Structures are given as structure tokens and as C-alpha cells.
Amino acid sequence: MEFNFEDHPHRRYNPLTNEWVQVSPHRAKRPWQGQVEKIEEEKRPEHDPSCYLCAGNTRINGEVNPQYTDTYSFQNDFAALLEDVPTGEMNDGNGLFRAKSERGLCKVICFSPRHDLTIPEMETEGIRKVVDLWTKEYTELGARDYINHVQIFENKGSVMGCSNPHPHGQIWAQESIPQEPAKKQENQKAYYDKNGTTLLSDYIAQEIKQQTRVVYENEHFVAIVPFWAVWPFETMIVPKRAVSRITDLTEEEKDAFADAYRSLTIKYDNIFEVSFPYSAGIHQAPTDGEDHPEWHMHMCFYPPLLRSATVKKFMVGYEMLANAQRDITAETAAARIREQSLVHYKSAVLEEEK
Ligand code: H2U
């Protein structure tokens, strides 16, 4: 019997994080007798008077949101990071009890005044305005001399802990470079120093040639299920040019970014005909005043759903105690995403009803 990646258990390597994932494709063939039902999604109004993020409404702390027409950002009223923190450090000497003060700030980014929309239901022009706001925030927050990292992210869906269905994301900006981007920085730097090219430009060149894990592509961006994906439908949107940070994208590339973000999330929603939950975020160069040619920015999507609108993957047991693990291969997941229409299932229904 000869080994093949489609049928036999194996491990895959993630060169960005220097971590491994256990892949068990043979398990995906086991019978499934659990739920497969669709869920009824509540119909939301365009403006909800009780929503803290809608235009003109009063937030919990009494501040009133302006009558914004596109995007709107504000400092998180319950920020996890604070600017005004005295500097302090603790180290017991042999490194067993270490702690360090951390300064930073958190913002909330409203994607649209429309309470009833999500990114895949917005027009590309509207999403482009979100990209523009991310660019502005990265620039302004990163310009503060003590801010060395700006983490842009979106939690979509209550299953991901999102507290409000109004389309929004967050930004946490801070002194230290957090662990995930720090790992990626180290590995990208080692690769760049050795090869003189970014790890991701060499990687996506091969992905584009092979096409097996590509789920969407336009002139400037490619969306792929990475070879080393952990979450069942994990993807990554990567600019084709080696761009270190969002502020280095050309106007045309920003349009292409918005298009890729929209197209990928439409396909996601169409898989189970449900608003597909995920945590997504941009990994890019730190704002520490250095050039960072090794960094190739990318946006990661980590959706928890596995088999249906309600059956999600749990990162428990072996994953918690030993190693990340997945059943369906990245190639099978990619084929499933790729085959989805670029017309959102809700607008397809509307078209049919006409
Ligand atoms: P999440 O739904 O992704 O948790 O984001 C909503 C954020 O909005 C959350 O971090 C903030 C919460 O602290 N928020 C305010 O800053 N002001 C409010 O009036 C309500 C919610």
C-alpha cells in the first residue's frame, strides 16, 4: 500500500508559525448522524434603536454616535488595553514569575450604518471604505511612538463571541508584538534573510500554479485554504505583490482587497446558507519604525463550522492537550468553497421571487 495525502493520516507543517497540524482524512469518511438542519435567521431592521453601534444612538457610557453614513470608529468603552498605565516589570530572577505592564488602546470599527447587513451583503464600494478606515487607523495608531503593533480583526457571529450583529470589527493597538504575529515575523525574517524573497510570495506562486487550494482570485489578491489549515474552512487572503502593510497597497490593490473579502465571505455564506461565523484579522508588519521587508501582509479567516449551520469544530481534547488536528483535508475544503456561487444565497432567493 502506498501512502497518499488524501487517505492516510499525516502531519502538515506551517512555515509561518513553525507549527504542525495533524490531518486525519480517513475520519471524514465516517458516517454522520447528527444535525444537518438549516437555522432560521432573524430578520433585522436597517436601524435598531436599541443597538449601541447604529448611527445617532447612545452608547452604554452615554456618548452619542454621529449620523455616520459609511464607516465609523470610536474608542472601545470597555477597552482591554489602556493608554494610561504606569510602567512596571516583575521578574523573580530565575524567570518563573515574570510580568510586565502593557499600554495600548482598543477601537470599535462600524462597517456600515446598516444594522441588517454583513460584509458579504455589502457592495464592494462599501467594503472598500472599511479597507480605507483600516488603513487610516493603522497609520494613526501606529504613528504613536509607544504603539508597535496594530491588530485589526473581526468577530462574526454570536458563536464567535460577537456581542452585536451590527457589522463591525475591532482594533487593538499595543506596545508589544503579540504572540501570533511575533511567530510569523520570526519565520518570515529567517526565510527572507535566506532567500531574499518573502515566504508568502514563493508560497502563493506555487498555490496559484497548482490551483488545488485556491478558492478565489482577482488581479491583485488570492484567497486560499492554506496547506497547513487547522480550522475546517480556514482561508487566507494574500496580496500577489509582496506588500508589508496595508498602507503600502495601491488604490487599485485596495479595491481588489475589498473584492476578495466580499467574494470569499459570499462563498462562505453559501456553503450552509447561513451567515458564516468566523474570526478574521490582518497580520502585517509591526509599527515599530522599522522597514520589515520580510513581512508579507495577509488576512486570516478562522471559521468554526464543520458540517452544517450548527455543527462546529471544537478545539478540545487532543487539540488542547497535544496538537491541532483536522479531518477533511485542505484540498477537500478548498473544493467545497471554490464551487460556491459568487451570488449571495439571500439575493439569489430575492431574484427567484421576482
Ligand atoms: P464584539 O461584539 O466583537 O465583542 O465587539 C463589540 C465591542 O463594542 C465590545 O468590545 C464595545 C464592546 O466593549 N462596546 C462599546 O465600546 N460601547 C458600547 O456602548 C457597547 C459595546
PDB file of all heavy atoms in Angstrom, residues 52 59-61 74-78 108 155 161-164 168 170, ligand 1:
ATOM      1  N   TYR A  52     -26.136  49.664  20.143  1.00  0.00           N
ATOM      2  CA  TYR A  52     -25.116  50.635  20.560  1.00  0.00           C
ATOM      3  C   TYR A  52     -24.255  51.134  19.410  1.00  0.00           C
ATOM      4  O   TYR A  52     -23.519  52.096  19.559  1.00  0.00           O
ATOM      5  CB  TYR A  52     -24.200  49.998  21.611  1.00  0.00           C
ATOM      6  CG  TYR A  52     -24.910  49.651  22.894  1.00  0.00           C
ATOM      7  CD1 TYR A  52     -25.026  48.333  23.309  1.00  0.00           C
ATOM      8  CD2 TYR A  52     -25.468  50.651  23.675  1.00  0.00           C
ATOM      9  CE1 TYR A  52     -25.686  48.011  24.491  1.00  0.00           C
ATOM     10  CE2 TYR A  52     -26.135  50.336  24.855  1.00  0.00           C
ATOM     11  CZ  TYR A  52     -26.232  49.015  25.258  1.00  0.00           C
ATOM     12  OH  TYR A  52     -26.892  48.709  26.427  1.00  0.00           O
ATOM     13  N   ARG A  59     -24.497  55.230  23.293  1.00  0.00           N
ATOM     14  CA  ARG A  59     -23.785  54.047  23.757  1.00  0.00           C
ATOM     15  C   ARG A  59     -23.934  53.896  25.274  1.00  0.00           C
ATOM     16  O   ARG A  59     -24.450  54.787  25.952  1.00  0.00           O
ATOM     17  CB  ARG A  59     -22.304  54.135  23.363  1.00  0.00           C
ATOM     18  CG  ARG A  59     -22.086  54.189  21.855  1.00  0.00           C
ATOM     19  CD  ARG A  59     -20.740  53.602  21.475  1.00  0.00           C
ATOM     20  NE  ARG A  59     -19.625  54.290  22.101  1.00  0.00           N
ATOM     21  CZ  ARG A  59     -19.039  55.391  21.618  1.00  0.00           C
ATOM     22  NH1 ARG A  59     -19.474  55.930  20.487  1.00  0.00           N
ATOM     23  NH2 ARG A  59     -18.028  55.937  22.261  1.00  0.00           N
ATOM     24  N   ILE A  60     -23.421  52.759  25.805  1.00  0.00           N
ATOM     25  CA  ILE A  60     -23.606  52.441  27.228  1.00  0.00           C
ATOM     26  C   ILE A  60     -23.056  53.556  28.124  1.00  0.00           C
ATOM     27  O   ILE A  60     -23.627  53.895  29.145  1.00  0.00           O
ATOM     28  CB  ILE A  60     -22.944  51.083  27.568  1.00  0.00           C
ATOM     29  CG1 ILE A  60     -23.716  49.956  26.862  1.00  0.00           C
ATOM     30  CG2 ILE A  60     -22.924  50.830  29.086  1.00  0.00           C
ATOM     31  CD1 ILE A  60     -23.151  48.579  27.057  1.00  0.00           C
ATOM     32  N   ASN A  61     -21.953  54.173  27.696  1.00  0.00           N
ATOM     33  CA  ASN A  61     -21.337  55.200  28.549  1.00  0.00           C
ATOM     34  C   ASN A  61     -21.949  56.589  28.355  1.00  0.00           C
ATOM     35  O   ASN A  61     -21.427  57.575  28.865  1.00  0.00           O
ATOM     36  CB  ASN A  61     -19.828  55.251  28.312  1.00  0.00           C
ATOM     37  CG  ASN A  61     -19.492  55.813  26.947  1.00  0.00           C
ATOM     38  OD1 ASN A  61     -20.385  56.002  26.113  1.00  0.00           O
ATOM     39  ND2 ASN A  61     -18.230  56.103  26.707  1.00  0.00           N
ATOM     40  N   PHE A  74     -14.651  54.331  16.976  1.00  0.00           N
ATOM     41  CA  PHE A  74     -14.583  55.023  18.276  1.00  0.00           C
ATOM     42  C   PHE A  74     -13.787  54.174  19.256  1.00  0.00           C
ATOM     43  O   PHE A  74     -13.627  52.964  19.061  1.00  0.00           O
ATOM     44  CB  PHE A  74     -15.994  55.308  18.805  1.00  0.00           C
ATOM     45  CG  PHE A  74     -16.832  54.084  19.086  1.00  0.00           C
ATOM     46  CD1 PHE A  74     -16.807  53.461  20.332  1.00  0.00           C
ATOM     47  CD2 PHE A  74     -17.652  53.536  18.094  1.00  0.00           C
ATOM     48  CE1 PHE A  74     -17.572  52.328  20.592  1.00  0.00           C
ATOM     49  CE2 PHE A  74     -18.421  52.393  18.349  1.00  0.00           C
ATOM     50  CZ  PHE A  74     -18.378  51.793  19.601  1.00  0.00           C
ATOM     51  N   GLN A  75     -13.291  54.802  20.295  1.00  0.00           N
ATOM     52  CA  GLN A  75     -12.529  54.070  21.316  1.00  0.00           C
ATOM     53  C   GLN A  75     -13.484  53.182  22.102  1.00  0.00           C
ATOM     54  O   GLN A  75     -14.537  53.649  22.548  1.00  0.00           O
ATOM     55  CB  GLN A  75     -11.843  55.057  22.273  1.00  0.00           C
ATOM     56  CG  GLN A  75     -10.627  55.687  21.635  1.00  0.00           C
ATOM     57  CD  GLN A  75      -9.407  55.666  22.559  1.00  0.00           C
ATOM     58  OE1 GLN A  75      -9.356  54.907  23.517  1.00  0.00           O
ATOM     59  NE2 GLN A  75      -8.431  56.507  22.276  1.00  0.00           N
ATOM     60  N   ASN A  76     -13.109  51.913  22.247  1.00  0.00           N
ATOM     61  CA  ASN A  76     -13.940  50.942  22.933  1.00  0.00           C
ATOM     62  C   ASN A  76     -14.209  51.407  24.373  1.00  0.00           C
ATOM     63  O   ASN A  76     -13.279  51.731  25.113  1.00  0.00           O
ATOM     64  CB  ASN A  76     -13.227  49.584  22.934  1.00  0.00           C
ATOM     65  CG  ASN A  76     -14.150  48.440  23.259  1.00  0.00           C
ATOM     66  OD1 ASN A  76     -14.942  48.519  24.199  1.00  0.00           O
ATOM     67  ND2 ASN A  76     -14.050  47.376  22.492  1.00  0.00           N
ATOM     68  N   ASP A  77     -15.498  51.458  24.729  1.00  0.00           N
ATOM     69  CA  ASP A  77     -15.860  51.930  26.067  1.00  0.00           C
ATOM     70  C   ASP A  77     -15.468  50.936  27.160  1.00  0.00           C
ATOM     71  O   ASP A  77     -15.489  51.269  28.336  1.00  0.00           O
ATOM     72  CB  ASP A  77     -17.376  52.199  26.127  1.00  0.00           C
ATOM     73  CG  ASP A  77     -17.802  53.221  25.071  1.00  0.00           C
ATOM     74  OD1 ASP A  77     -17.132  54.261  24.952  1.00  0.00           O
ATOM     75  OD2 ASP A  77     -18.788  52.967  24.345  1.00  0.00           O
ATOM     76  N   PHE A  78     -15.157  49.708  26.746  1.00  0.00           N
ATOM     77  CA  PHE A  78     -14.738  48.683  27.720  1.00  0.00           C
ATOM     78  C   PHE A  78     -13.403  48.096  27.271  1.00  0.00           C
ATOM     79  O   PHE A  78     -13.234  46.883  27.148  1.00  0.00           O
ATOM     80  CB  PHE A  78     -15.806  47.587  27.823  1.00  0.00           C
ATOM     81  CG  PHE A  78     -17.175  48.138  28.092  1.00  0.00           C
ATOM     82  CD1 PHE A  78     -18.058  48.380  27.039  1.00  0.00           C
ATOM     83  CD2 PHE A  78     -17.565  48.455  29.380  1.00  0.00           C
ATOM     84  CE1 PHE A  78     -19.317  48.917  27.279  1.00  0.00           C
ATOM     85  CE2 PHE A  78     -18.817  48.987  29.624  1.00  0.00           C
ATOM     86  CZ  PHE A  78     -19.695  49.226  28.572  1.00  0.00           C
ATOM     87  N   VAL A 108     -13.476  50.315  18.187  1.00  0.00           N
ATOM     88  CA  VAL A 108     -14.540  49.572  17.523  1.00  0.00           C
ATOM     89  C   VAL A 108     -14.725  50.220  16.153  1.00  0.00           C
ATOM     90  O   VAL A 108     -14.724  51.447  16.039  1.00  0.00           O
ATOM     91  CB  VAL A 108     -15.860  49.637  18.335  1.00  0.00           C
ATOM     92  CG1 VAL A 108     -16.981  48.886  17.623  1.00  0.00           C
ATOM     93  CG2 VAL A 108     -15.652  49.070  19.743  1.00  0.00           C
ATOM     94  N   ASN A 155     -14.826  39.714  14.625  1.00  0.00           N
ATOM     95  CA  ASN A 155     -15.505  38.526  15.151  1.00  0.00           C
ATOM     96  C   ASN A 155     -16.879  38.534  14.535  1.00  0.00           C
ATOM     97  O   ASN A 155     -17.635  39.472  14.764  1.00  0.00           O
ATOM     98  CB  ASN A 155     -15.688  38.621  16.669  1.00  0.00           C
ATOM     99  CG  ASN A 155     -14.470  38.152  17.408  1.00  0.00           C
ATOM    100  OD1 ASN A 155     -13.664  37.374  16.882  1.00  0.00           O
ATOM    101  ND2 ASN A 155     -14.332  38.612  18.621  1.00  0.00           N
ATOM    102  N   GLY A 161     -18.521  34.733  19.783  1.00  0.00           N
ATOM    103  CA  GLY A 161     -18.463  35.670  20.901  1.00  0.00           C
ATOM    104  C   GLY A 161     -18.764  37.104  20.501  1.00  0.00           C
ATOM    105  O   GLY A 161     -18.552  38.033  21.291  1.00  0.00           O
ATOM    106  N   CYS A 162     -19.263  37.275  19.280  1.00  0.00           N
ATOM    107  CA  CYS A 162     -19.606  38.624  18.836  1.00  0.00           C
ATOM    108  C   CYS A 162     -20.877  39.057  19.583  1.00  0.00           C
ATOM    109  O   CYS A 162     -21.874  38.338  19.586  1.00  0.00           O
ATOM    110  CB  CYS A 162     -19.827  38.616  17.333  1.00  0.00           C
ATOM    111  SG  CYS A 162     -20.226  40.212  16.673  1.00  0.00           S
ATOM    112  N   SER A 163     -20.821  40.222  20.198  1.00  0.00           N
ATOM    113  CA  SER A 163     -21.893  40.613  21.101  1.00  0.00           C
ATOM    114  C   SER A 163     -23.036  41.341  20.413  1.00  0.00           C
ATOM    115  O   SER A 163     -24.073  41.580  21.015  1.00  0.00           O
ATOM    116  CB  SER A 163     -21.316  41.496  22.202  1.00  0.00           C
ATOM    117  OG  SER A 163     -20.766  42.670  21.634  1.00  0.00           O
ATOM    118  N   ASN A 164     -22.840  41.739  19.155  1.00  0.00           N
ATOM    119  CA  ASN A 164     -23.820  42.587  18.498  1.00  0.00           C
ATOM    120  C   ASN A 164     -23.793  42.283  16.997  1.00  0.00           C
ATOM    121  O   ASN A 164     -22.716  42.293  16.395  1.00  0.00           O
ATOM    122  CB  ASN A 164     -23.415  44.056  18.766  1.00  0.00           C
ATOM    123  CG  ASN A 164     -24.412  45.049  18.223  1.00  0.00           C
ATOM    124  OD1 ASN A 164     -25.063  44.820  17.202  1.00  0.00           O
ATOM    125  ND2 ASN A 164     -24.541  46.175  18.889  1.00  0.00           N
ATOM    126  N   HIS A 168     -19.436  45.016  12.365  1.00  0.00           N
ATOM    127  CA  HIS A 168     -18.338  45.770  12.982  1.00  0.00           C
ATOM    128  C   HIS A 168     -17.118  44.897  13.210  1.00  0.00           C
ATOM    129  O   HIS A 168     -17.204  43.672  13.195  1.00  0.00           O
ATOM    130  CB  HIS A 168     -18.784  46.365  14.323  1.00  0.00           C
ATOM    131  CG  HIS A 168     -18.968  45.333  15.396  1.00  0.00           C
ATOM    132  ND1 HIS A 168     -20.092  44.543  15.484  1.00  0.00           N
ATOM    133  CD2 HIS A 168     -18.159  44.933  16.409  1.00  0.00           C
ATOM    134  CE1 HIS A 168     -19.979  43.717  16.509  1.00  0.00           C
ATOM    135  NE2 HIS A 168     -18.807  43.925  17.090  1.00  0.00           N
ATOM    136  N   GLN A 170     -12.923  45.206  15.239  1.00  0.00           N
ATOM    137  CA  GLN A 170     -12.203  45.871  16.324  1.00  0.00           C
ATOM    138  C   GLN A 170     -10.749  46.074  15.942  1.00  0.00           C
ATOM    139  O   GLN A 170     -10.238  45.434  15.029  1.00  0.00           O
ATOM    140  CB  GLN A 170     -12.241  45.024  17.589  1.00  0.00           C
ATOM    141  CG  GLN A 170     -13.629  44.818  18.180  1.00  0.00           C
ATOM    142  CD  GLN A 170     -13.525  44.207  19.570  1.00  0.00           C
ATOM    143  OE1 GLN A 170     -12.697  44.615  20.391  1.00  0.00           O
ATOM    144  NE2 GLN A 170     -14.353  43.226  19.845  1.00  0.00           N
TER     145      GLN A 170
HETATM  146  P1  H2U B   1     -17.704  42.398  19.832  1.00  0.00           P
HETATM  147  O1  H2U B   1     -19.128  42.201  19.520  1.00  0.00           O
HETATM  148  O2  H2U B   1     -16.803  41.828  18.724  1.00  0.00           O
HETATM  149  O3  H2U B   1     -17.339  41.929  21.185  1.00  0.00           O
HETATM  150  O4  H2U B   1     -17.433  43.968  19.771  1.00  0.00           O
HETATM  151  C1  H2U B   1     -18.262  44.919  20.347  1.00  0.00           C
HETATM  152  C2  H2U B   1     -17.403  45.837  21.163  1.00  0.00           C
HETATM  153  O5  H2U B   1     -18.120  47.029  21.352  1.00  0.00           O
HETATM  154  C3  H2U B   1     -17.088  45.256  22.527  1.00  0.00           C
HETATM  155  O6  H2U B   1     -15.698  45.116  22.652  1.00  0.00           O
HETATM  156  C4  H2U B   1     -17.828  47.550  22.617  1.00  0.00           C
HETATM  157  C5  H2U B   1     -17.642  46.321  23.494  1.00  0.00           C
HETATM  158  O7  H2U B   1     -16.726  46.586  24.526  1.00  0.00           O
HETATM  159  N1  H2U B   1     -18.908  48.443  23.042  1.00  0.00           N
HETATM  160  C6  H2U B   1     -18.616  49.766  23.354  1.00  0.00           C
HETATM  161  O8  H2U B   1     -17.458  50.164  23.282  1.00  0.00           O
HETATM  162  N2  H2U B   1     -19.622  50.600  23.715  1.00  0.00           N
HETATM  163  C7  H2U B   1     -20.927  50.241  23.829  1.00  0.00           C
HETATM  164  O9  H2U B   1     -21.758  51.044  24.160  1.00  0.00           O
HETATM  165  C8  H2U B   1     -21.328  48.825  23.566  1.00  0.00           C
HETATM  166  C9  H2U B   1     -20.246  47.908  23.108  1.00  0.00           C
END
